[in-house]
Amino acid sequence: MMGSPLRIGVLAVQGDFREHAAMLRRLGAEVVEVRTPEQLEDVDGLVVPGGESTAIMRLIRLYGLDTALRRLHGAVFGTCAGMIVLDRDHLGMADIVVDRNAYGRQVASFEAELELDGQSEPLRGVFIRAPIVRERGPDVEVLAELDGEPVLLRDGRVLVASFHPELTDDTRVHELFLDLVRERERVRA
Ligand code: GLN
């Protein structure tokens, strides 16, 4: 319905789901913390947060969420561990293959200014034991790069970031995700 807030699920089994929820609420969305398949039933979009991908995958299976996740029709946004969880080797919802902890120990965590596609204002990227995308399908668009590596990508209705936009005050990446949710809703309407 026009004017009603978007209902966004945030997978809340492990990781920094609270930060995503806070940012989405700031942008006017209604947030559902998702721990059961039923909670996925009427969300317009879903965020898979950063954290520890092995733990997140185990809990997804334990709570019986994997089938329900794969059946989602709305837009999906994965950050860091969430990007790993969505790749071809895990839930297979984004046509990418990701290498975990790919920046090595010395530079495990860092911040860098990113150039966002079509925007003059740089974006501060917070990288924490971040993955690197090793392979991507022909339909995957790169929306931001760091030193030649893609760090923000879009595969149709799925957005993935190897950094943590939920850990800064800059809401632009979440706004981009909510635009994708609305776009997807229009396509389905
Ligand atoms: N290194 C973590 C993993 O492999 C991801 C880290 C993060 O989400 N900040 O799951």
Side-chain angles (χ1 to χ4, degrees):
M1 213 168 62
M2 286 285 282
S4 60
L6 291 173
R7 253 173 94 81
I8 306 295
V10 178
L11 186 69
V13 297
Q14 197 267 336
D16 72 338
F17 53 88
R18 289 178 192 85
E19 286 71 18
H20 277 286
M23 188 162 263
L24 291 163
R25 285 192 188 107
R26 249 175 87 186
L27 293 173
E30 189 188 321
V31 174
V32 183
E33 289 192 0
V34 173
R35 296 183 185 87
T36 67
E38 295 72 37
Q39 289 165 330
L40 281 172
E41 270 164 24
D42 45 52
V43 297
D44 301 314
L46 178 80
V47 172
V48 185
E52 218 293 321
S53 55
T54 309
I56 296 175
M57 277 311 296
R58 286 184 82 105
L59 293 166
I60 282 175
R61 293 201 183 102
L62 188 70
Y63 299 159
L65 283 159
D66 33 354
T67 310
L69 286 168
R70 287 198 187 90
R71 278 195 194 136
L72 273 179
H73 292 293
V76 179
F77 177 28
T79 57
C80 202
M83 176 193 222
I84 299 169
V85 164
L86 294 171
D87 87 348
R88 263 188 228 151
D89 294 336
H90 298 84
L91 291 177
M93 293 168 70
D95 192 14
I96 55 172
V97 178
V98 170
D99 204 358
R100 293 181 62 189
N101 304 322
Y103 287 94
R105 275 181 194 218
Q106 279 74 22
V107 287
S109 301
F110 58 95
E111 294 190 16
E113 301 270 291
L114 305 173
E115 224 178 276
L116 201 56
D117 198 39
Q119 298 211 10
S120 50
E121 177 90 6
L123 183 83
R124 190 107 195 118
V126 177
F127 292 81
I128 304 169
R129 293 185 301 284
I132 285 182
V133 177
R134 292 299 180 209
E135 277 178 53
R136 60 176 195 268
D139 296 333
V140 179
E141 282 172 80
V142 176
L143 305 181
E145 287 185 353
L146 176 65
D147 302 328
E149 299 289 351
V151 294
L152 178 67
L153 306 93
R154 175 185 172 176
D155 179 9
R157 67 184 173 106
V158 181
L159 183 70
V160 286
S162 58
F163 56 98
H164 291 272
E166 74 283 10
L167 298 182
T168 66
D169 273 337
D170 193 327
T171 55
R172 282 178 291 166
V173 182
H174 285 77
E175 284 171 52
L176 187 73
F177 167 61
L178 293 180
D179 287 344
L180 205 61
V181 174
R182 282 186 210 101
E183 189 182 305
R184 184 75 188 167
E185 292 276 288
R186 275 196 299 274
V187 171
R188 300 187 60 219

